[in-house]
């Protein structure tokens, strides 16, 4: 009994030690970024790692938020992220539900076409020509429609729908439900953990997207926050950039840290509201019913 108790204690010590080390390895770099963003430029240049700045400074954030277009760019990113996530979830959920039904004609061919896009794509130039011919250049829809459906997210959601027992669907059909009613009133309520997870994936992707904005938006007034922050970093580094969007030159080192914080914090704020869905069971809704 003593050996068993000693073994449990030893396991707990090793387990907690490893988890603590892993947690610190993930947390300390982010704390270093936050602390460096509030430090002075001289301190950042002198020290390779900062957890608590010696001299507290808001110069980097003052420079960033003194840019006149910063709040408009933030509103653009929030709008594109919100609308894009909604569009992507509607398209992904409806297509995933169709592909998860075994009686769908041509289901295997459609599934193969979805998987094929994960391995091969048209490339940047053909995609640009398609967007241009559709008249989406310099339009916010150019940031949403070309990436509206992720094949990876679609497959995850399709597999989630397939795991739902067919007996629930059969019972609903006996009660007179059609496919649309089954999808809206039975499948979706049971799929909240999957919907929340995929929604977060899409939201993070839209929020961090900047390449499509560089390719398709010619007007700097329509830039999302990621492009504007990129221009601020370029200007602060002494490189050439579009100075029409950035009026002032911030300190080079601290602004890079502040830019990371500004770009990351919004997603950190959203995550706690969705975290509860990650730990729920797939059939929590049916158990409550």
């Amino acid at each position: 009994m003593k050996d068993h108790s000693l073994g449990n204690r030893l396991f707990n010590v090793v387990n907690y030690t490893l988890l603590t080390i892993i947690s610190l390895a993930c947390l300390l770099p982010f704390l270093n970024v936050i602390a460096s963003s509030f430090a002075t430029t001289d301190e950042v240049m002198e020290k390779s790692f900062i957890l608590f700045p010696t001299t507290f400074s808001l110069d980097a954030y003052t420079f960033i938020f003194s840019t006149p277009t910063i709040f408009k760019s933030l509103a653009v990113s929030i709008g594109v992220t919100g609308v894009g996530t909604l569009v992507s979830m509607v398209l992904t959920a409806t297509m995933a539900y169709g592909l998860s039904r075994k009686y769908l004609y041509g289901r295997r061919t459609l599934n193969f076409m979805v998987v094929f896009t994960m391995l091969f794509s048209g490339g940047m130039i053909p995609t640009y020509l398609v967007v241009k011919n559709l008249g989406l250049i310099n339009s916010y829809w150019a940031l949403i429609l070309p990436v509206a459906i992720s094949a990876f997210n679609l497959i995850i959601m399709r597999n989630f729908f397939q795991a739902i027992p067919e007996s629930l669907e059969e019972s609903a059909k006996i009660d007179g439900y059609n496919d649309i009613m089954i999808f809206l009133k039975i499948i979706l309520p049971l799929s909240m953990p999957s919907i929340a997870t995929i929604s977060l994936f899409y939201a993070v992707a839209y929020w961090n997207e900047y390449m499509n904005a560089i390719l398709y938006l010619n007007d700097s007034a329509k830039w999302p926050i990621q492009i504007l922050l990129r221009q601020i970093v370029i200007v602060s580094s002494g490189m050439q950039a579009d100075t029409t969007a950035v009026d002032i030159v911030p300190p080079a080192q601290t602004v890079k840290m502040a830019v990371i914080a500004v770009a990351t914090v919004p997603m950190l704020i959203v995550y706690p509201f969705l975290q509860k869905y990650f730990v729920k069971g797939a059939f929590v809704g049916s158990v409550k019913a």
Side-chain angles (χ1 to χ4, degrees), residues 78-213:
I78 293 175
V80 170
T81 301
V83 175
T85 301
L86 178 61
V87 171
S88 294
M89 285 307 303
V90 170
L91 296 178
T92 301
T94 52
M95 185 173 181
Y97 176 67
L99 293 178
S100 66
R101 301 302 93 181
K102 296 180 179 180
Y103 53 79
L104 177 67
Y105 181 76
R107 174 172 171 266
R108 290 188 177 181
T109 302
L110 293 174
N111 279 315
F112 171 79
M113 294 173 64
V114 171
V115 176
F116 184 84
T117 62
M118 298 178 63
L119 305 176
F120 304 97
S121 64
M124 181 183 298
I125 295 178
T127 303
Y128 179 86
L129 294 177
V130 171
V131 172
K132 180 180 179 181
N133 291 332
L134 291 175
L136 298 179
I137 296 296
N138 215 30
S139 169
Y140 292 131
W141 287 110
L143 308 181
I144 298 175
L145 296 181
V147 292
I149 297 181
S150 166
F152 178 78
N153 293 338
L154 176 65
I155 292 175
I156 293 178
M157 185 161 284
R158 181 204 65 186
N159 293 340
F160 190 93
F161 289 158
Q162 286 179 341
I164 297 178
E166 295 181 1
S167 57
L168 294 175
E169 183 176 353
E170 294 173 355
S171 299
K173 288 184 177 180
I174 294 175
D175 292 335
Y177 281 28
N178 56 30
D179 289 332
I180 296 178
M181 295 175 64
I182 292 173
F183 176 66
L184 295 178
K185 295 186 176 182
I186 296 179
I187 302 300
L188 290 185
L190 293 176
S191 305
M192 288 306 298
S194 176
I195 292 174
T197 303
I198 301 301
S199 295
L200 184 61
F201 289 165
Y202 275 123
V204 171
Y206 280 115
W207 181 263
N208 292 330
E209 179 60 46
Y210 71 94
M211 181 57 68
N212 285 344

Side-chain angles (χ1 to χ4, degrees), residues 190-250:
L190 293 176
S191 305
M192 288 306 298
S194 176
I195 292 174
T197 303
I198 301 301
S199 295
L200 184 61
F201 289 165
Y202 275 123
V204 171
Y206 280 115
W207 181 263
N208 292 330
E209 179 60 46
Y210 71 94
M211 181 57 68
N212 285 344
I214 294 176
L215 293 175
Y216 306 135
L217 297 183
N218 300 324
D219 186 0
S220 60
K222 294 184 176 181
W223 280 350
I225 189 67
Q226 302 295 347
I227 303 300
L228 183 63
L229 295 178
R230 173 179 175 271
Q231 293 301 113
I232 294 176
V233 171
I234 292 176
V235 171
S236 68
S237 301
M239 301 171 62
Q240 293 182 353
D242 188 348
T243 56
T244 61
V246 181
D247 295 337
I248 46 184
V249 180

Side-chain angles (χ1 to χ4, degrees), residues 11-90:
F11 172 79
N12 289 334
V13 170
V14 173
N15 193 24
Y16 286 132
T17 301
L18 290 176
L19 290 177
T20 301
I21 294 175
I22 295 173
S23 299
L24 290 176
C26 297
L27 185 61
L28 288 179
F30 184 71
L31 293 178
N32 175 54
V33 169
I34 299 297
S36 298
S37 68
F38 289 107
T40 61
T41 304
D42 294 337
E43 184 176 359
V44 174
M45 295 295 293
E46 292 174 359
K47 301 179 180 179
S48 59
F49 188 83
I50 300 175
L51 281 181
F52 301 98
T54 304
T55 303
F56 188 83
S57 174
L58 292 175
D59 290 344
Y61 292 97
T62 300
F63 277 118
I64 290 177
F65 289 102
S66 295
T67 303
T69 55
I70 186 73
F71 295 103
K72 183 176 181 179
S73 296
L74 185 61
V76 169
S77 288
I78 293 175
V80 170
T81 301
V83 175
T85 301
L86 178 61
V87 171
S88 294
M89 285 307 303
V90 170

